[in-house]
Amino acid sequence: DLNGADLDGVNLSDAKLSGANLARANLSAANLSSAQLRVANLSRTNFHAANLKGAILTKADLCEANLSQADLSNADLSQADLTGAKLNMANLSNADLSQACLRQAYLWAANLNVAQLRGADLRRASLRGAYLEGADWHLAILTGATMPDGTLH
């Protein structure tokens, strides 16, 4: 149990942390590239500027997590709960967010180029300034979302 732990800048690349409790932990600038975090409790965790490139976060609880400026390129976030998460300026290029819950998430200026968002729930999410080239939105729920140009969906 690493609930609330201060792991600022730690190297956990390739770590096997599926099911771990890292809620409210500080993983700012940490290296979690290719880490396995399936079904992990990561709610309210600080991942500011962390490297999560290629990480497996399937069904992880990332509610209200701070992922601003984090590198989540090629990460698997399918069916993850990112309700209220801060993903401002995060790199989510080529990430799998299929069936993820991103309700009320902040994705200002986030890179979602070629991301998979099939069936994702983005109700009332803010995508202002986000990059969406080649993203797959099939069956995504965008009710009340703020689109990149500032318009309300």
Side-chain angles (χ1 to χ4, degrees):
D1 186 359
L2 295 167
N3 187 349
D6 186 2
L7 301 167
D8 183 14
V10 72
N11 183 3
L12 292 170
S13 59
D14 296 308
K16 312 247 185 301
L17 296 165
S18 292
N21 182 6
L22 289 157
R24 296 180 179 84
N26 178 21
L27 286 154
S28 181
N31 182 2
L32 291 143
S33 58
S34 300
Q36 295 182 25
L37 292 153
R38 287 179 187 89
V39 199
N41 182 357
L42 306 167
S43 62
R44 297 187 179 173
T45 297
N46 181 14
F47 289 105
H48 179 266
N51 178 1
L52 289 146
K53 188 174 188 174
I56 310 296
L57 295 144
T58 310
K59 296 184 179 177
D61 179 355
L62 288 149
C63 289
E64 298 180 14
N66 179 9
L67 292 146
S68 295
Q69 299 179 18
D71 185 354
L72 290 144
S73 56
N74 299 301
D76 184 351
L77 292 144
S78 56
Q79 298 178 35
D81 189 351
L82 291 137
T83 303
K86 292 174 184 68
L87 293 140
N88 302 325
M89 295 186 285
N91 182 4
L92 291 150
S93 60
N94 207 39
D96 185 355
L97 291 149
S98 353
Q99 297 179 356
C101 182
L102 290 146
R103 287 185 192 183
Q104 298 178 322
Y106 300 93
L107 293 137
W108 299 332
N111 180 354
L112 289 154
N113 290 337
V114 199
Q116 292 295 320
L117 291 149
R118 286 180 164 262
D121 185 349
L122 289 125
R123 281 181 262 198
R124 297 192 329 221
S126 179
L127 295 154
R128 187 178 285 260
Y131 303 93
L132 305 168
E133 188 175 329
D136 182 354
W137 295 92
H138 187 68
L139 298 176
I141 303 166
L142 296 165
T143 308
T146 304
M147 300 312 286
D149 63 1
T151 59
L152 205 57
H153 193 275

